[in-house]
Amino acid sequence: MTETATFKTGSLDKSFPTLSGTVGPEVVDIRKFYAETNMFTYDPGYTSTASCQSAITYIDGDQGILLHRGYPIDQLAEQSSFMEVSYLLLHGELPSAEQLKEFSWTISRHTMVHEQLSTFYRAFRRDAHPMAIMCGVVGALSAFYHDSTDITDPIQRLIASHRLIAKMPTLAAMAFKYSIGQPFLYPQNELSYTGNFLRMTFGVPAEPYEVNPIIEQAMDKIFILHADHEQNASTSTVRLAGSSGANPFACMAAGIACLWGPAHGGANEAALNMLREIGDVKRIPEYIARAKDKNDPFRLMGFGHRVYKNFDPRAKVMKATADKVLKELGKSDPVLDVAKELEHIALNDPYFIDKKLYPNVDFYSGVILNAIGFPTEMFTVLFALARTVGWVAQWNEMISDPEQKIGRPRQLYVGETQRDYVPVDRR
Ligand code: CMC
């Protein structure tokens, strides 16, 4: 028997069906709510709204659980590779050895970008933020790959998905090289996805580049940890842009724009800047006091999450990876000491305990990326690179969903009611 949720106000008494997923809260199906009640629901930030049905990623924020296609993130980060996770997100199942080989090969065949795209880079100022460049060049891909923009054709959608996953490392590395005035490096397809990216970023044409396997593994883990995260702001942006039928490259550019913000993907850059500003464990109490002060807009960056009201499961893996990378590089980073002490103090402070504010994925990722040699402006670019697979998987799922409609939220209008125009000389 279908459960219903009843809505009563004044003389109105309407029931709406509830829907059950495989796990997680029930949802009330309010698709006919406006038609039957002449009312809208009000939910700024969509904190109580399921905008779609999805079989890709599941999060239980209270328990600190993150599953991709049912597999826990820590198992994937420890045991699989970014290519394997990409296949899983796109196709729903872990690949066999043969499928993984073929998928990795296919991705490697799409790593080059149209040569003309490199001239596009040269139009940017050298000090342009690489996310500004990424918004432009990823959107521009739609001008280069006309043969994969018909979204009604599943084959074209798959080719566009492969192209996006494959070209993001090349485009990201080019954004970095442009900012430091070094020549772009072409991909080398005998390297792994992540090794190739490291070489295009840190190698130079004048010398051979040897990929450090520990750094390669750490970077691959960082990519896995950022690969998808349910209906977050940038993924919802990609879905909303795609719901109008826009081509996949344009949709990804929209996702990149959304990810750029400091409350979303920009948080790892902000977290590292904050840790550097604190500089010394002695200054932590001052910053904790500021974070708690209602009159101070300062927030502890890398703390808190819209969904996780427990430890972000990705943060645990990230912390262990930070230790490993610093050990490999023989670096002792005072910023890591500040991070660990800040975490310790915050986790024992009633303000953070009561509000369930725990470190999120961005708290430690900046420390690792900094140690590997990335400037802070590149952090969000790396997030975008990894999240591209999540975006394309969610975009494909949306396009194939028969219940998909153009996204069109409504509003609670609080402006002027109708009034007559007054000519300018009488105002
Ligand atoms: N430092 C201090 N206080 C905080 C923090 C923080 N980082 N985050 C939330 N609070 C307080 C906030 O002031 C509010 O207090 P009160 O109830 O007294 O007004 C309460 O906690 C709830 O905050 P909220 O803003 O309503 O929570 P939210 O779920 O809307 O915001 C968030 C989530 C991530 C935007 C927020 O925690 C934040 O700004 N964190 C810092 C930025 C950050 O690290 N973002 C990365 C998110 S993870 C990466 C990703 O998935 O993109």
Side-chain angles (χ1 to χ4, degrees), residues 86-112:
S86 299
Y87 184 97
L88 174 70
L89 289 171
L90 269 181
H91 298 290
E93 294 297 336
L94 286 170
S96 65
E98 193 50 42
Q99 286 167 326
L100 180 60
K101 204 170 143 206
E102 195 189 319
F103 180 72
S104 306
W105 185 86
T106 304
I107 295 297
S108 75
R109 295 303 110 177
H110 287 291
T111 50
M112 287 200 297

Side-chain angles (χ1 to χ4, degrees), residues 252-322:
M252 298 307 131
I256 291 172
C258 179
L259 188 74
W260 194 357
H264 191 6
N268 52 11
E269 184 176 344
L272 184 69
N273 288 340
M274 178 195 74
L275 293 171
R276 280 186 179 144
E277 191 186 305
I278 298 176
D280 193 310
V281 290
K282 286 199 217 94
R283 296 185 64 201
I284 292 174
E286 180 197 322
Y287 282 82
I288 296 268
R290 282 189 62 195
K292 293 199 284 195
D293 183 355
K294 280 247 162 270
N295 300 316
D296 189 330
F298 174 77
R299 285 187 166 197
L300 275 193
M301 298 314 286
F303 259 77
H305 199 276
R306 169 57 63 77
V307 179
Y308 294 119
K309 303 302 170 196
N310 199 323
F311 228 99
D312 179 340
R314 302 168 299 172
K316 290 185 191 161
V317 185
M318 211 55 106
K319 186 177 177 181
T321 310

Side-chain angles (χ1 to χ4, degrees), residues 13-308:
D13 184 344
K14 289 276 175 197
S15 291
F16 297 91
T18 60
L19 305 173
S20 307
T22 43
V23 60
E26 299 260 289
V27 305
V28 185
D29 181 352
I30 55 162
R31 278 175 289 184
K32 298 208 173 95
F33 192 81
Y34 175 51
E36 296 191 1
T37 66
N38 201 28
M39 292 173 103
F40 295 142
T41 56
Y42 181 59
D43 186 18
Y46 314 119
T47 51
S48 298
T49 298
S51 62
C52 61
Q53 51 174 310
S54 179
I56 301 175
T57 292
Y58 173 74
I59 301 175
D60 181 331
D62 293 326
Q63 305 286 324
I65 292 172
L66 167 59
L67 310 176
H68 291 319
R69 304 283 191 185
Y71 297 102
I73 189 65
D74 46 324
Q75 290 184 21
L76 293 172
E78 291 305 335
Q79 299 173 47
S80 77
S81 66
F82 182 65
M83 275 299 91
E84 207 176 335
V85 172
S86 299
Y87 184 97
L88 174 70
L89 289 171
L90 269 181
H91 298 290
E93 294 297 336
L94 286 170
S96 65
E98 193 50 42
Q99 286 167 326
L100 180 60
K101 204 170 143 206
E102 195 189 319
F103 180 72
S104 306
W105 185 86
T106 304
I107 295 297
S108 75
R109 295 303 110 177
H110 287 291
T111 50
M112 287 200 297
V113 293
H114 194 289
E115 194 61 18
Q116 197 60 18
L117 201 67
S118 58
T119 55
F120 204 85
Y121 278 76
R122 294 182 212 288
F124 284 97
R125 287 168 53 137
R126 290 273 176 193
D127 62 356
H129 195 289
M131 281 299 274
I133 297 183
M134 293 303 282
C135 287
V137 293
V138 173
L141 291 178
S142 47
F144 289 94
Y145 301 102
H146 297 144
D147 58 344
S148 55
T149 52
D150 177 0
I151 64 155
T152 61
D153 177 353
I155 303 291
Q156 289 203 28
R157 288 208 302 272
L158 190 64
I159 295 171
S161 304
H162 290 159
R163 280 184 168 148
L164 277 156
I165 296 168
K167 292 184 200 306
M168 279 299 277
T170 314
L171 296 173
M174 286 169 79
F176 174 65
K177 285 297 190 202
Y178 187 72
S179 72
I180 55 170
Q182 286 187 0
F184 299 143
L185 259 68
Y186 290 117
Q188 259 181 21
N189 290 340
E190 78 276 10
L191 296 174
S192 71
Y193 182 86
T194 303
N196 198 6
F197 170 65
L198 287 171
R199 183 190 153 273
M200 285 189 288
T201 305
F202 297 118
V204 287
E207 288 171 12
Y209 178 83
E210 210 161 299
V211 179
N212 177 328
I214 302 223
I215 304 299
E216 184 183 16
Q217 211 184 53
M219 202 67 230
D220 205 68
K221 241 179 233 198
I222 292 179
F223 289 162
I224 294 175
L225 295 175
H226 286 93
D228 192 47
H229 212 225
E230 207 225 52
Q231 306 312 319
N232 57 86
S234 56
T235 302
S236 298
T237 301
V238 168
R239 280 187 178 255
L240 193 57
S243 75
S244 71
N247 77 69
F249 305 105
C251 295
M252 298 307 131
I256 291 172
C258 179
L259 188 74
W260 194 357
H264 191 6
N268 52 11
E269 184 176 344
L272 184 69
N273 288 340
M274 178 195 74
L275 293 171
R276 280 186 179 144
E277 191 186 305
I278 298 176
D280 193 310
V281 290
K282 286 199 217 94
R283 296 185 64 201
I284 292 174
E286 180 197 322
Y287 282 82
I288 296 268
R290 282 189 62 195
K292 293 199 284 195
D293 183 355
K294 280 247 162 270
N295 300 316
D296 189 330
F298 174 77
R299 285 187 166 197
L300 275 193
M301 298 314 286
F303 259 77
H305 199 276
R306 169 57 63 77
V307 179
Y308 294 119

